[in-house]
Amino acid sequence: MDIKRVAIDAVNEVIVLTVPHMDYKGQVAKRINEKMPLATVKGFRKGQVPKALVEKQYGAAIKVEEVKKVVDLALERFLQSERINLLGTPLPKVNPDFSWDAEELTFEYEIGLVPNFEIDLDAKSDVVKYQIIADDTMLNAQIARIQKQYGAVVSQDVVAEGNDVSGVFANEAAGINNRATLDLEELADPKVAKSFIGKKVGDVITLKTAGLFHDVHKLMDVLAVSHDVVHDLDVEVTFTIDEVIAHDPAELNQELFDKLFGPGNVNSVEELKAKIKEDAEKHFATQAEQKLMADVQDFLIENNKFDLPKEFLVRWLQTVGDKKLSPEEAEVEYARSEKGLRFQLIEGKALAQSNIQVNFEDLKSFTSVAIRQQMAQFGQANPTDAEVESIVARVLSNQDEVKRLSEQVVADKMLKLFVEKANPTTKEVTYEQFVAAMYNE
């Protein structure tokens, strides 16, 4: 058999396999001989069918089966021996002139290659590491929300100042039909808020979506629309009132503090603010970390350009998975996954260039943190070291878990390396400023 690689460009090749008669004729003849005692042809007794008739009835199918076995094995061994870094798997090319009747058969397979590129981790970046501060405006608003949440709730017949109003937003043409509760103080235009005063359950108010809230992202919640839609959404919606709610704010006293944080943990309004600030900024730190990682990934992808075999991968996506994709669906899937693929290739190249290693202490530490986080989610916030160490030992006795966790540790170390190389600038912002930065506004 003759096998050769034909380069199309840097990331696309065709493998050509030429199969001579001698590579399959012996196995085909053997299979036909095995078939003869079992063959049944009308007019002949079983086992007495002439060989020529057996060949005529079964020979073509046997030839196809045996040639495919030869080709599949040869292709697999060739890819291994050449150490070809593939994206996807080989795709057979359709040859309209191909004939199984020929003695010498030629097969062609398209392959997509991992691009050859260099990465520059030391390039200057404009990545920002956000430090989100819970300012007094946020703290006072949160305290007001707590007082409203834990205060007495009284249903009303008529909307008055300070009431919340529940109802259904609707616009059939825009596909909007969602029940939500409005805090009238969140509305951007005081005139719009005032238009609710005096309304009753069952009344319908028409509102414009554009400029309805100070923060346009609030529309995502009350209308149940996506971020891609919300910025350009400028339609009229009806709001049908189905409940009017008055609140008698809870007093800021020890009973409320104990209910919120446990007996004796918070003893004054100042301590309440400090606790809210601590908890909020801890939560914000996680969000800021996620954005930092996403921004670093975007920087690496933008700063390290290379070609991908897009057309090949789109065709390949049509052939994999339980559900076969149409060309249009495969295009959408490629667009969705391209960014992740590029980062995966950059990460692999960086890993090959770096000296990142994982030892047992790394695994133990990483697993311990993960276990403590999981236990906290289920209400066990302060497990003993002995409890955690016992669980870690059980987890790390499973080789599959060790492999999975090792991959996570490597990925974690790689991201930390990328962040270190990006050398981000630290910037203090309010949560509102952070949200604006997150959505590039």
Side-chain angles (χ1 to χ4, degrees), residues 32-315:
I32 289 175
N33 288 336
E34 292 171 348
K35 196 77 175 176
M36 287 187 64
L38 306 173
T40 57
V41 175
K42 190 175 182 180
F44 294 92
R45 293 171 61 187
K46 185 176 181 180
Q48 300 299 317
V49 182
K51 186 174 183 177
L53 288 180
V54 175
E55 288 179 338
K56 183 177 181 181
Q57 184 167 357
Y58 299 104
I62 290 174
K63 178 179 178 179
V64 170
E65 291 176 7
E66 293 304 320
V67 170
K68 284 186 174 180
K69 289 178 185 178
V70 170
V71 170
D72 289 347
L73 182 60
L75 181 61
E76 180 183 351
R77 289 176 173 173
F78 182 74
L79 293 174
Q80 291 175 350
S81 65
E82 293 285 301
R83 297 182 179 179
I84 303 174
N85 290 323
L86 296 178
L87 289 176
T89 53
L91 290 178
K93 287 189 69 175
V94 177
N95 180 2
D97 298 324
F98 179 85
S99 173
W100 281 102
D101 294 330
E103 288 199 350
E104 186 173 88
L105 304 169
T106 299
F107 300 88
E108 295 182 339
Y109 289 85
E110 297 176 275
I111 57 173
L113 306 179
V114 172
N116 184 22
F117 64 97
E118 298 298 327
I119 59 172
D120 180 10
L121 295 180
D122 295 313
K124 185 177 180 180
S125 81
D126 56 359
V127 175
V128 174
K129 180 179 181 180
Y130 291 98
Q131 184 175 348
I132 308 170
I133 305 301
D135 59 6
D136 285 339
T137 301
M138 170 178 281
L139 296 177
N140 291 332
Q142 181 62 24
I143 289 174
R145 280 193 289 271
I146 290 172
Q147 288 183 276
K148 177 184 282 190
Q149 180 182 352
Y150 287 91
V153 176
V154 183
S155 291
Q156 303 289 309
D157 296 323
V158 180
V159 181
E161 293 282 352
N163 290 167
D164 287 349
V165 183
S166 294
V168 176
F169 283 99
N171 180 307
E172 186 176 353
I176 296 170
N177 191 309
N178 191 59
R179 188 178 189 277
T181 298
L182 289 178
D183 179 345
L184 299 182
E185 294 180 0
E186 292 183 337
L187 298 175
D189 187 344
K191 292 180 181 178
V192 174
K194 194 170 183 179
S195 69
F196 280 82
I197 305 302
K199 300 296 183 183
K200 301 177 182 178
V201 171
D203 286 350
V204 179
I205 298 175
T206 300
L207 303 167
K208 290 185 177 180
T209 58
L212 186 59
F213 297 99
H214 294 290
D215 180 2
V216 70
H217 301 102
K218 180 70 176 177
L219 286 173
M220 296 167 59
D221 297 325
V222 301
L223 302 182
V225 296
S226 69
H227 182 265
D228 294 337
V229 170
V230 72
H231 285 281
D232 298 322
L233 190 63
D234 187 3
V235 297
E236 286 190 343
V237 292
T238 59
F239 183 79
T240 304
I241 300 173
D242 61 22
E243 187 177 10
V244 180
I245 307 164
H247 297 272
D248 185 10
E251 290 186 30
L252 295 176
N253 55 26
Q254 195 62 47
E255 181 182 355
L256 178 62
F257 302 154
D258 291 347
K259 186 181 294 185
L260 291 170
F261 301 107
N265 291 315
V266 170
N267 301 292
S268 66
V269 173
E270 290 71 24
E271 289 183 12
L272 174 63
K273 282 189 175 183
K275 181 62 175 173
I276 293 174
K277 182 178 177 68
E278 177 188 353
D279 291 347
E281 291 182 353
K282 188 181 297 183
H283 175 69
F284 294 158
T286 301
Q287 292 182 280
E289 184 77 7
Q290 291 170 348
K291 175 164 175 56
L292 174 61
M293 296 305 184
D295 288 347
V296 168
Q297 289 185 20
D298 288 343
F299 165 71
L300 289 169
I301 291 169
E302 182 64 28
N303 194 57
N304 294 279
K305 300 289 189 181
F306 49 82
D307 292 329
L308 288 173
K310 176 184 175 180
E311 290 75 14
F312 167 83
L313 289 173
V314 170
R315 290 195 299 275

Side-chain angles (χ1 to χ4, degrees), residues 2-6 14-18 106-109:
D2 178 59
I3 307 178
K4 61 183 179 181
R5 295 168 62 178
V6 179
V14 174
I15 297 178
V16 182
L17 302 93
T18 303
T106 299
F107 300 88
E108 295 182 339
Y109 289 85

Side-chain angles (χ1 to χ4, degrees), residues 1 19 55 81 145 191 265 355 364 389 398 425 434 436:
M1 180 184 295
V19 187
E55 288 179 338
S81 65
R145 280 193 289 271
K191 292 180 181 178
N265 291 315
N355 191 31
K364 283 180 62 178
E389 288 173 7
N398 184 316
T425 302
F434 173 75

Side-chain angles (χ1 to χ4, degrees), residues 270-380:
E270 290 71 24
E271 289 183 12
L272 174 63
K273 282 189 175 183
K275 181 62 175 173
I276 293 174
K277 182 178 177 68
E278 177 188 353
D279 291 347
E281 291 182 353
K282 188 181 297 183
H283 175 69
F284 294 158
T286 301
Q287 292 182 280
E289 184 77 7
Q290 291 170 348
K291 175 164 175 56
L292 174 61
M293 296 305 184
D295 288 347
V296 168
Q297 289 185 20
D298 288 343
F299 165 71
L300 289 169
I301 291 169
E302 182 64 28
N303 194 57
N304 294 279
K305 300 289 189 181
F306 49 82
D307 292 329
L308 288 173
K310 176 184 175 180
E311 290 75 14
F312 167 83
L313 289 173
V314 170
R315 290 195 299 275
W316 176 73
L317 285 169
Q318 295 174 55
T319 68
V320 297
D322 296 331
K323 178 182 178 292
K324 303 306 179 186
L325 302 181
S326 68
E328 295 75 20
E329 290 172 330
E331 283 276 0
V332 171
E333 177 62 20
Y334 177 83
R336 186 191 67 79
S337 58
E338 180 186 1
K339 180 178 175 181
L341 174 58
R342 288 185 177 277
F343 181 70
Q344 184 180 350
L345 293 173
I346 291 170
E347 190 176 40
K349 178 72 75 170
L351 183 60
Q353 291 181 193
S354 66
N355 191 31
I356 288 180
Q357 298 178 350
V358 177
N359 57 41
F360 190 67
E361 289 303 316
D362 292 330
L363 276 177
K364 283 180 62 178
S365 176
F366 184 85
T367 308
S368 295
V369 171
I371 287 170
R372 289 183 184 276
Q373 290 174 343
Q374 289 177 359
M375 294 177 79
Q377 289 176 357
F378 290 98
Q380 194 172 350

